[in-house]
Structures are given as C-alpha cells and as structure tokens.
Amino acid sequence: MARRLAEGDEIFVERFFSEARAAAALVHPNIVRCHDLHTDDGLNFISMQYLDGGDLSALRGAAFQEIVRAVLMLCDALDYAH
C-alpha cells in the first residue's frame, strides 16, 4: 500500500517502517517476504516477493478439505509471526 507523506506524518512513517522491518524479519513458507523499504518523492512503500496465484476469495464454494488446508496454513503463519 502506498501513501503520500503529509505534513506532520512523521509518526505514521516511523510506524510504517518499523512494521515493515518487523515483517522483513519473518521467514516462513506461508508468509510473503518483504524485501526492502523505499521512499520516493514522499511516497513510502515496501517491495515484496512476487507470488503467482490467487487470494482467499478463490476458496468460495471449494470443498471443505481444501478450505481447512488453507486455514491451517494461515494459522501456522500467524502462530509463527506472533
């Protein structure tokens, strides 16, 4: 997500970069890798690993077993991150 810097947004920027550094430290097969933090012309953003595929909305109407498998992978990632 990109956001242009406004006057007085220094606290937001510090929080943004702090969270991005914490995310970059996570190494887990079910967590997208954060590569680098960038600022360009007042725009702050994170470059991340590219993963080919869909999102969780693709599971709508899927078999129960397929949904449970995806949820278990998500739970494993959340357990690792926290």
Side-chain angles (χ1 to χ4, degrees), residues 22-34 49 51 72-82:
L26 297 175
V27 179
H28 187 276
N30 298 337
I31 298 176
V32 175
R33 292 292 315 217
C34 294
Q49 172 187 13
L51 295 175
L72 288 175
M73 289 175 22
L74 176 63
C75 290
D76 188 46
L78 287 171
D79 180 54
Y80 175 80
H82 294 282

Side-chain angles (χ1 to χ4, degrees), residues 13-67:
V13 172
E14 181 51 41
R15 219 178 271 159
F16 176 78
F17 284 123
S18 176
E19 289 293 323
R21 283 188 292 275
L26 297 175
V27 179
H28 187 276
N30 298 337
I31 298 176
V32 175
R33 292 292 315 217
C34 294
H35 292 300
D36 208 354
L37 312 170
H38 307 276
T39 298
D40 185 23
D41 191 29
L43 193 63
N44 301 292
F45 58 97
I46 304 168
S47 57
M48 301 176 81
Q49 172 187 13
Y50 173 77
L51 295 175
D52 191 25
D55 57 34
L56 291 176
S57 68
L59 293 174
R60 285 192 186 119
F64 175 76
Q65 294 84 356
E66 190 176 348
I67 294 169

